């Protein structure tokens, strides 16, 4: 099958999506006329695809070098970027080199920052291999790594020249990672693109075994949703903030579980919390909350704060959300993205944020715990 070029307004780079497209990837790479290719991958993805792809680029296109980093968020650091930069320079590369990010969001950020720094900026091509990377991280111009004091603290903006996504690469992705991506898909549908809710509801699979056609549709719709809100806001500081739906509690759960809960699974539960908060503030109806729970459960994520996340830590962490500062909130309040109904986001001025009393948010988090008691679990069982 061949790549389809996805048209995205106001997005400066091409996004090509297909299934079983290795030949097309090579053809697209050749069109960039690079002096060499630096393929960046983590150890897992290097083993699955990196060695093969690098060998084929080297044979058919131009000299190619595989730069491998260790798997996982703790290795998304400046020291990883520095080590890869030295390895790249030792190969004698020049400024016509292209950095190819082959992997998930972690690799995308490491390679993205590497591309921004080498010779003060070389071209970057993304070949995403996770659902999350295909529909979320590759669209962002933000390229950052973690500091000891927090996530994504050291970085810059650097746009890719092209994204080449092949859903065949998702066949090896563990179910946990597929479900994490689906958390962001559900977010896009609920907060931005309610027109996809019907088909999505019928397509979600608890076992996370999706066919290529469904994956292509889901990715296509998510790109459309993201493009809609970031078109006039590439730096995600205004309308793009709606992409933070579910992330206040989601990030806190992810953090409090020390990585045991995947990002998108945390976001999925975070959206249920946000919907319940909106209901208690009198903005949303009960059916919005039930719709959230149904979709999250259908994607194979338990619709409650998982036992892996220490609830006291979750509640501590929500107070440190990165949306603080956007609104001039009163003490013990935090800005959240809230919905009135699917696709209807509440605003304060031009910002898609509402100040929420922390006491209310903490109460809802407490009641959304697994398993058993509390309104979240009860309604799901019903
Ligand atoms: P990831 O890159 O760590 O990948 C998840 C896991 O899947 C890893 O263990 C990886 O080795 C494995 N994997 C990847 N592709 C595979 C495949 N095809 N088959 C088998 N295993 C595979 O994580 P992620 O979830 O893709 O991305 C999360 C990261 O993305 C976070 O660091 C987050 O900060 C970042 N992110 C950045 C932006 C941005 O604005 N730039 C946006 C969203 C997320
Ligand atoms: Mg996210």
């Amino acid at each position: 099958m061949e790549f389809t070029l996805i048209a995205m307004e106001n997005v400066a780079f091409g996004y090509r999506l297909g299934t079983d497209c290795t030949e097309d990837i090579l053809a697209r790479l050749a069109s960039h006329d690079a002096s060499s290719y630096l393929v960046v991958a983590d150890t897992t993805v290097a083993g699955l695809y990196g060695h093969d792809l690098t060998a084929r680029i080297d044979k058919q296109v131009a000299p190619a070098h595989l730069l491998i980093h260790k798997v996982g968020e703790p290795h998304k650091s400046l020291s990883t970027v520095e080590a890869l930069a030295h390895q790249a320079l030792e190969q004698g590369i020049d400024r016509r080199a292209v950095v190819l990010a082959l992997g998930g969001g972690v690799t995308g950020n490491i390679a993205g920052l590497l591309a921004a720094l080498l010779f003060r900026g070389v071209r970057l091509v993304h070949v995403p291999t996770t659902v999350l990377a295909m529909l979320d991280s590759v669209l962002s111009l933000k390229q950052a790594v973690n500091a000891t004091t927090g996530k994504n603290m050291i970085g810059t903006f650097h746009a890719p020249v092209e994204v080449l996504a092949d859903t065949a690469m998702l066949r090896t992705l563990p179910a946990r990672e597929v479900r994490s991506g689906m958390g962001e898909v559900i977010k896009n549908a609920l907060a931005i693109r309610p027109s996809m809710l019907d088909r999505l509801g019928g397509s979600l699979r608890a076992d996370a075994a999706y066919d290529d056609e469904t994956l292509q549709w889901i990715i296509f719709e998510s790109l459309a949703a993201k493009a809609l809100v970031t078109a006039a806001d590439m730096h995600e500081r205004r309308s793009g903030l709606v992409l933070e739906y579910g992330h206040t509690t989601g990030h806190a759960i992810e953090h409090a579980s020390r990585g045991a809960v995947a990002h998108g699974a945390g976001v999925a539960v975070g959206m249920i919390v946000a919907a319940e908060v909106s209901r208690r503030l009198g903005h949303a109806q009960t059916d919005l909350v039930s719709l959230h729970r149904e979709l999250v459960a259908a994607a194979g994520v338990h619709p409650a704060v998982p036992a892996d996340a220490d609830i006291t830590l979750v509640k501590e962490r929500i107070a440190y959300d990165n949306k603080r500062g956007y609104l001039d909130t009163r003490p013990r309040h935090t800005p959240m993205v809230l919905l009135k109904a699917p696709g209807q986001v509440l605003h304060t001025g031009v910002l898609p944020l509402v100040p929420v009393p922390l006491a209310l948010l903490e109460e809802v988090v407490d009641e959304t715990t697994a398993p058993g008691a509390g309104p979240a679990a009860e309604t799901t069982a019903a």
Side-chain angles (χ1 to χ4, degrees), residues 259-272:
V261 180
H263 176 75
V267 169
V269 176
M271 290 188 288
I272 297 175

Side-chain angles (χ1 to χ4, degrees), residues 203-275:
S203 304
L204 289 170
R205 297 186 55 116
D207 65 1
Y210 295 91
D211 59 57
D212 290 299
E213 193 193 330
T214 306
L215 287 169
Q216 284 207 25
W217 174 76
I218 279 171
I219 294 162
F220 178 84
E221 289 290 321
S222 293
L223 297 179
K226 187 145 179 170
L228 203 68
V229 293
T230 54
D233 182 26
M234 275 316 272
H235 292 175
E236 295 169 34
R237 285 172 189 147
R238 279 170 61 140
S239 56
L241 284 169
V242 65
L243 293 163
E244 287 285 308
Y245 188 50
H247 282 57
T248 302
T249 312
H251 275 147
I253 292 173
E254 197 185 347
H255 180 87
S257 76
R258 299 198 164 77
V261 180
H263 176 75
V267 169
V269 176
M271 290 188 288
I272 297 175
V273 169

Side-chain angles (χ1 to χ4, degrees), residues 34-99:
S35 55
S36 65
Y37 291 87
L38 302 166
V39 180
V40 181
D42 69 24
T43 37
T44 303
V45 177
L48 287 166
Y49 308 105
H51 290 285
D52 280 355
L53 187 64
T54 309
R56 290 185 69 173
I57 298 171
D58 196 67
K59 193 165 162 228
Q60 289 172 242
V61 186
H65 313 285
L66 180 59
L67 306 176
I68 301 175
H69 67 83
K70 288 190 184 146
V71 175
E73 197 63 38
H75 299 285
K76 199 175 95 170
S77 65
L78 210 47
S79 57
T80 299
V81 175
E82 187 183 5
L84 297 186
H86 287 128
Q87 284 175 40
L89 293 167
E90 280 158 17
Q91 301 292 336
I93 60 145
D94 62 24
R95 60 187 71 244
R96 277 181 49 242
V98 163
V99 172

Side-chain angles (χ1 to χ4, degrees), residues 8-212:
M8 284 185 291
E9 263 181 78
N10 298 307
V11 175
F13 50 89
Y15 189 118
R16 285 179 163 78
L17 176 64
T19 301
D20 290 314
C21 291
T22 313
E23 281 306 321
D24 302 79
I25 292 177
L26 294 169
R28 288 305 310 163
L29 291 177
S31 77
H32 293 297
D33 192 26
S35 55
S36 65
Y37 291 87
L38 302 166
V39 180
V40 181
D42 69 24
T43 37
T44 303
V45 177
L48 287 166
Y49 308 105
H51 290 285
D52 280 355
L53 187 64
T54 309
R56 290 185 69 173
I57 298 171
D58 196 67
K59 193 165 162 228
Q60 289 172 242
V61 186
H65 313 285
L66 180 59
L67 306 176
I68 301 175
H69 67 83
K70 288 190 184 146
V71 175
E73 197 63 38
H75 299 285
K76 199 175 95 170
S77 65
L78 210 47
S79 57
T80 299
V81 175
E82 187 183 5
L84 297 186
H86 287 128
Q87 284 175 40
L89 293 167
E90 280 158 17
Q91 301 292 336
I93 60 145
D94 62 24
R95 60 187 71 244
R96 277 181 49 242
V98 163
V99 172
L100 193 158
L102 176 68
V106 166
T107 298
N109 282 165
I110 291 171
L113 190 56
L114 176 70
L117 294 175
L118 282 173
F119 304 110
R120 300 189 199 87
V122 299
R123 288 168 294 172
L124 168 69
V125 172
H126 281 296
V127 177
T129 66
T130 65
V131 175
L132 191 118
M134 286 190 190
L135 54 83
D136 189 355
S137 58
V138 297
L139 290 186
S140 173
L141 311 186
K142 291 186 271 185
Q143 314 297 353
V145 295
N146 304 327
T148 45
T149 49
K151 225 172 112 74
N152 298 331
M153 297 273 187
I154 305 170
T156 186
F157 290 95
H158 193 67
V161 289
E162 183 157 47
V163 178
L164 306 169
D166 184 342
T167 61
M169 291 184 181
L170 299 176
R171 288 174 198 149
T172 52
L173 192 64
R176 168 196 143 98
E177 302 301 333
V178 177
R179 288 192 195 106
S180 178
M182 290 305 155
E184 298 281 1
V185 173
I186 295 170
K187 174 198 77 179
N188 291 331
L190 282 170
I192 306 166
R193 210 163 162 86
S195 61
M196 66 186 282
L197 279 171
D198 269 354
R199 182 166 168 192
L200 183 65
S203 304
L204 289 170
R205 297 186 55 116
D207 65 1
Y210 295 91
D211 59 57
D212 290 299

